[in-house]
Amino acid sequence: MTDPAPLAGHPRVAGSSPSPGAPGSGAPGDGGGPAAGLSAAERRRQCWRRVAPAAVRFLAGLVTGVLILLVLGAAPAQAAGYRYWSFWKWSGSGWAYQQQGPAVHVPPDGAVEGWRFAVSPDGGQEAARPGTPGDFAAVCGATPEQSGRKRVAVVLDFGDPADAPARETPPEPRTACAVVSARATSAEVLATVAPPLRYDGNGLLCAIAGYPRTGCGEQLGNADRPAAAGTTPVGGSGNAAGSGSGTDSHDDASSGIGGPDLGVIAGVALIALLVAGAVHQTRRRR
């Protein structure tokens, strides 16, 4: 008995396999799959388009984290303090920081000036003040007035033992009344009552009454550093003083404090270039 003939209008018998090239067969040329007919290069480009955005986001997050760490790690270190003589004036009922240097400031008759040796922040206003009040009558009351000359009270505070350089002991605080010409500067007043004075090559006051013997405005932690080159003992007129007080210049001590290291900057630049290259490649492949 022969098989019944296929039903009219049906392209094939149910259950039979599609012929090569028929729709839905998946064979080459049928157009059934999304990647059908694509070359290997085109498939790689499609894959890259799917992966690239996630890779760029990952790199951006990584760079952000690295930059934060670099900025925090490369922030300039703040100096703990400097060992120096700070310059003060008595104002009303307390000590006020003297904005002018001793070589240019001309105190009036009856003024009270103070000096304090201590480890203090570099900034003047936060420096340690003299511990003795500025009482002009107590200091100069017994000194008679002289025609054409002025009296200036001077308070010297050599600081605490903790402030002293290694192997040095601070003298006891003391006061003195200077009788000087009417146009004398604070440097000349100080030289009259507390010689010898010592200045460095930049005019920074290093020592009063010979204290300390060495050092000049050194940063805390360098207490045993020898005196800066070019320091010269000065006595008498004090006219070798520079234009600032002990708080006006810390060139030697602060030269090691600066911005981020060049290696850090180079690393940041390299990472930025890598990210820029990745973004550029992503746009090209699109």
Side-chain angles (χ1 to χ4, degrees), residues 50-66:
R50 291 193 296 269
V51 174
V56 171
R57 287 193 296 270
F58 172 77
L59 284 175
L62 178 63
V63 170
T64 301
V66 171

Side-chain angles (χ1 to χ4, degrees), residues 2-283:
T2 61
D3 293 335
L7 296 177
H10 283 259
R12 56 185 176 84
V13 178
S16 62
S17 300
S19 59
S25 66
D30 66 355
L38 295 179
S39 65
E42 291 173 336
R43 286 196 294 270
R44 285 195 297 270
R45 281 194 291 270
Q46 284 188 348
C47 180
W48 173 252
R49 291 192 187 103
R50 291 193 296 269
V51 174
V56 171
R57 287 193 296 270
F58 172 77
L59 284 175
L62 178 63
V63 170
T64 301
V66 171
L67 288 176
I68 292 174
L69 292 177
L70 290 176
V71 170
L72 293 177
Q78 298 298 318
Y82 295 88
R83 197 190 315 274
Y84 62 92
W85 282 100
S86 56
F87 184 26
W88 303 84
K89 62 181 178 181
W90 185 258
S91 179
S93 59
W95 291 107
Y97 179 68
Q98 178 58 266
Q99 299 292 339
Q100 289 184 307
V104 297
H105 178 65
V106 178
D109 181 65
V112 180
E113 299 189 323
W115 294 87
R116 170 66 190 267
F117 184 80
V119 175
S120 302
D122 184 27
Q125 301 291 349
E126 299 179 8
R129 292 165 169 75
T132 304
D135 189 340
F136 179 81
V139 178
C140 290
T143 302
E145 297 183 27
Q146 298 182 25
S147 177
R149 299 176 72 80
K150 62 184 177 184
R151 296 174 299 169
V152 178
V154 179
V155 175
L156 300 177
D157 189 335
F158 295 87
D160 301 324
D163 298 324
R167 297 177 295 278
E168 293 200 48
T169 302
E172 292 296 322
R174 67 174 187 255
T175 60
C177 184
V179 180
V180 293
S181 66
R183 300 182 62 181
T185 65
S186 296
E188 292 171 319
V189 169
L190 184 62
T192 300
V193 298
L197 307 181
R198 178 167 57 87
Y199 294 91
D200 72 357
N202 296 319
L204 176 64
L205 180 61
C206 304
I208 297 176
Y211 180 83
R213 295 189 303 271
T214 61
C216 194
E218 64 269 21
Q219 183 180 346
L220 185 66
N222 296 332
D224 295 331
R225 191 182 69 178
T231 58
T232 306
V234 178
S237 66
N239 56 8
S243 60
S245 69
T247 60
D248 291 336
S249 172
H250 291 292
D251 294 339
D252 292 340
S254 61
S255 60
I257 301 176
D261 185 83
L262 290 178
V264 173
I265 297 176
V268 172
L270 178 60
I271 293 174
L273 287 175
L274 290 175
V275 173
V279 172
H280 178 69
Q281 289 296 328
T282 301
R283 290 177 178 175

